[in-house]
Amino acid sequence: NSKLRHVEKDVLIPQIMRDRAKELCSDKVQAFTRCCQETGFLMVVKCRQENAALKDCLVGHYSDPSFYEECKAEYLKQREEYRATGIKKKRQKVTSNV
């Protein structure tokens, strides 16, 4: 059964998308994090370029319909496994400072 509830469409699948997009844009996340750590309070001004690159990368993934379908398929697989076993598996997350 691949019918999705409102919370699955609007919360759970977008969460998978955010996690995967952060993994795919990890180089930009690290560059932005490094810049913020080096500049302190002036990060708003000094890290604009890194922030814009990170934002472009993330938004590019969020707005890609094929990326949504991949994440939806991943969610449906997780849901199917949970329904079969009753054991919730957590995704491994890439550790970052963001």
Side-chain angles (χ1 to χ4, degrees):
N1 184 10
S2 63
K3 189 169 182 172
L4 296 171
R5 298 174 299 160
H6 168 72
V7 72
E8 292 171 321
K9 284 187 223 175
D10 295 341
V11 177
L12 299 174
I13 294 174
Q15 179 62 46
I16 292 172
M17 290 176 73
R18 280 190 297 277
D19 292 343
R20 288 200 53 213
K22 281 183 186 176
E23 291 171 11
L24 296 171
C25 299
S26 65
D27 57 331
K28 291 169 182 55
V29 170
Q30 290 173 355
F32 179 66
T33 301
R34 193 174 326 112
C35 179
C36 290
Q37 289 172 341
E38 292 171 359
T39 57
F41 289 114
L42 296 175
M43 74 177 116
V44 175
V45 177
K46 299 233 180 195
C47 298
R48 285 184 182 161
Q49 185 177 3
E50 289 85 352
N51 187 27
L54 174 59
K55 188 175 181 181
D56 290 343
C57 182
L58 294 174
V59 170
H61 288 296
Y62 297 155
S63 60
D64 183 7
S66 64
F67 184 68
Y68 176 83
E69 291 302 320
E70 287 176 29
C71 295
K72 178 180 168 183
E74 181 180 334
Y75 171 76
L76 290 173
K77 183 179 174 190
Q78 289 174 357
R79 186 178 77 173
E80 181 182 335
E81 288 176 13
Y82 174 76
R83 288 181 176 176
T85 64
I87 300 170
K88 186 174 183 179
K89 291 186 178 179
K90 292 194 176 203
R91 288 189 81 236
Q92 273 193 327
K93 292 184 180 180
V94 173
T95 57
S96 67
N97 294 335
V98 176

